[in-house]
Amino acid sequence: MSELKNVVLKNIVKTYLGNDGKPFTAVNNINLEIKSGEFVTLLGPSGCGKTTTLRMIAGFEIPTSGDIYIGKENVSKLTPDKRDTAMVFQSYALFPHLNIFDNVAYGLKLKKLSKDVIDKKVRKILELVGLNGLEERAPNQLSGGQQQRVALARALVMEPSVLLFDEPLSNLDAKLRVYMRTEIRRIQKEVGITSVYVTHDQAEAMSMSDRIIIMNKGVIEQIGTPKEIYEKPATKFVADFIGEANILEAEIVDIADKRVNIKLADKIFSVKTDLNVGKEDKINIVIRPEAVNLVDNGDIEVNVKSSVFMGAYQDYVIELDNKEIKLVQYDPQHKKVYNTGEKAYIDLKANSIHVIRN
């Protein structure tokens, strides 16, 4: 394997000319460092700029302005074949007329390596991805998951410093996607290769990534570990995009020592925050559905607007201060279930409340 390298994007802008003849900024002045050996996911809705960013790292798109470094080398103007990267595509892009061995060996043959070296490298990488014994098969004789592993093997056998993934699992069914994301992460950890992965699937990003980069309208909204992104979203967009969230306007009653006292349904909660806010500032609070429990007695009474059994959890909508809030309670067969129209109380801890700017 080649020496592992970091990837640095400095002030990257990509502008296209739209159909109306006006310029459109797909990526707007982003700065980013991906550490050597790290698995980072670019996550966001369609049109947020994540694929354009990946394609600029790969060399399929050239930045309008800014610089891209792989290791210490500025690769901003280099063609894809001159960059120490390899791409795993959504469509697999396998050669239908070549067997699995020859598909994986294709790039090595272009480099004019000896037959013995090619044979050794291909067999080693096929064993790594769990395809040894299938060398003579044609691509159409393999399942979708196996074809994706051939595409991964073909990229890895070139021993790049950086591996790029363009929504590689989107063509697979749900169960196979879960299996393949585990496999890709296992292989990436075993090889230790720097990896940049693009997806719009939250579960993929949460389960595979060292860090997640949330993009929206061409800018980076937040960078963090899956835990940080979920528990401490930086913006309303991130809170709403990752998982489910109740986002409520809240009134600041007092501020002291990195804590804000907020009023919710006539009860005061003292919430820790790193935000620099004043008493007159408008804020929102984020409460995840699983952070609230329904109980028989408490300080805050609510109306149960909806109660639906979903197997592993009971799905509730409650009314609090004339606002509807979504709750989930797991393992409902061992808990009291509240029916639609009933009164209940909520058990909510201050450390389950996260403060963001309005």
Side-chain angles (χ1 to χ4, degrees):
M1 188 61 62
S2 295
E3 175 195 355
L4 300 182
K5 298 175 183 175
N6 65 344
V7 178
V8 178
L9 279 63
K10 292 185 177 180
N11 305 316
I12 292 295
V13 175
K14 181 62 180 179
T15 303
Y16 297 99
L17 203 60
N19 293 331
D20 58 0
K22 295 179 181 178
F24 166 73
T25 302
V27 175
N28 191 2
N29 196 38
I30 66 170
N31 290 277
L32 172 65
E33 179 179 2
I34 298 160
K35 299 174 184 126
S36 174
E38 191 176 26
F39 193 112
V40 163
T41 296
L42 301 174
L43 176 67
S46 297
C48 71
K50 59 188 186 294
T51 299
T52 302
T53 301
L54 187 80
R55 289 176 63 82
M56 285 191 286
I57 296 171
F60 298 124
E61 300 279 357
I62 302 300
T64 305
S65 62
D67 296 299
I68 298 172
Y69 292 84
I70 295 177
K72 295 179 181 179
E73 183 182 15
N74 188 332
V75 300
S76 307
K77 301 293 190 291
L78 299 183
T79 55
D81 58 304
K82 298 292 191 296
R83 303 188 187 200
D84 196 6
T85 63
M87 176 85 87
V88 180
F89 294 96
Q90 176 181 345
S91 61
Y92 317 145
L94 302 180
F95 298 113
H97 62 289
L98 299 180
N99 64 22
I100 301 314
F101 184 96
D102 288 336
N103 261 283
V104 176
Y106 184 80
L108 298 177
K109 290 178 179 178
L110 291 180
K111 292 174 78 172
K112 301 191 184 307
L113 299 182
S114 72
K115 186 176 179 181
D116 287 347
V117 170
I118 291 174
D119 189 76
K120 184 178 179 181
K121 285 179 178 290
V122 171
R123 293 190 187 282
K124 181 180 177 183
I125 213 74
L126 286 175
E127 185 174 355
L128 176 69
V129 301
L131 291 175
N132 46 320
L134 302 180
E135 294 86 351
E136 300 303 319
R137 298 253 185 113
N140 64 7
Q141 293 176 306
L142 301 184
S143 68
Q146 288 172 324
Q147 288 183 48
Q148 187 55 270
R149 278 186 277 170
V150 175
L152 179 57
R154 187 178 57 187
L156 284 170
V157 81
M158 300 303 292
E159 300 184 349
S161 293
V162 180
L163 190 57
L164 308 172
F165 296 87
D166 184 15
E167 304 211 36
L169 306 183
S170 58
N171 289 336
L172 303 179
D173 64 52
K175 282 190 176 180
L176 195 50
R177 278 203 305 272
V178 172
Y179 172 74
M180 280 305 300
R181 72 191 189 207
T182 304
E183 275 293 282
I184 287 174
R185 184 58 165 147
R186 174 189 68 80
I187 292 163
Q188 185 269 337
K189 280 185 173 181
E190 191 167 328
V191 178
I193 191 168
T194 308
S195 299
V196 187
Y197 190 100
V198 162
T199 184
H200 60 272
D201 187 304
Q202 298 171 32
E204 278 179 34
M206 294 288 282
S207 63
M208 299 173 75
S209 311
D210 293 313
R211 286 189 302 156
I212 299 173
I213 297 153
I214 305 284
M215 295 190 68
N216 180 34
K217 296 180 180 177
V219 301
I220 294 174
E221 292 261 344
Q222 187 173 357
I223 302 173
T225 66
K227 184 178 172 68
E228 288 167 346
I229 294 282
Y230 187 80
E231 293 182 355
K232 297 182 178 181
T235 65
K236 196 172 180 178
F237 173 82
V238 175
D240 195 43
F241 187 76
I242 293 289
E244 295 215 40
N246 299 296
I247 303 173
L248 309 172
E249 289 185 7
E251 175 189 344
I252 298 177
V253 177
D254 196 15
I255 300 172
D257 191 28
K258 288 201 169 183
R259 301 189 82 87
V260 292
N261 292 333
I262 61 166
K263 188 176 181 182
L264 182 63
D266 294 326
K267 183 176 177 181
I268 304 298
F269 292 86
S270 179
V271 181
K272 188 175 180 181
T273 181
D274 293 326
L275 285 183
N276 184 18
V277 291
K279 194 173 177 182
E280 303 305 317
D281 287 336
K282 291 187 176 180
I283 61 166
N284 286 316
I285 58 171
V286 179
I287 303 171
R288 296 293 183 183
E290 70 276 9
V292 187
N293 287 314
L294 287 183
V295 293
D296 283 339
N297 293 290
D299 296 326
I300 302 176
E301 187 180 65
V302 297
N303 296 316
V304 179
K305 300 278 287 183
S306 172
S307 176
V308 180
F309 177 69
M310 298 296 291
Y313 60 92
Q314 192 77 14
D315 196 339
Y316 291 106
V317 175
I318 62 167
E319 186 177 36
L320 173 67
D321 274 357
N322 296 317
K323 301 181 187 74
E324 290 191 349
I325 295 177
K326 180 178 172 60
L327 310 183
V328 294
Q329 293 205 158
Y330 290 93
D331 197 18
Q333 71 181 93
H334 295 112
K335 294 177 183 173
K336 178 175 178 178
V337 172
Y338 296 84
N339 296 315
T340 302
E342 289 186 342
K343 300 280 187 185
Y345 292 84
I346 60 169
D347 176 25
L348 174 63
K349 304 292 189 293
N351 60 8
S352 296
I353 300 173
H354 178 65
V355 177
I356 59 175
R357 295 192 185 277
N358 195 320

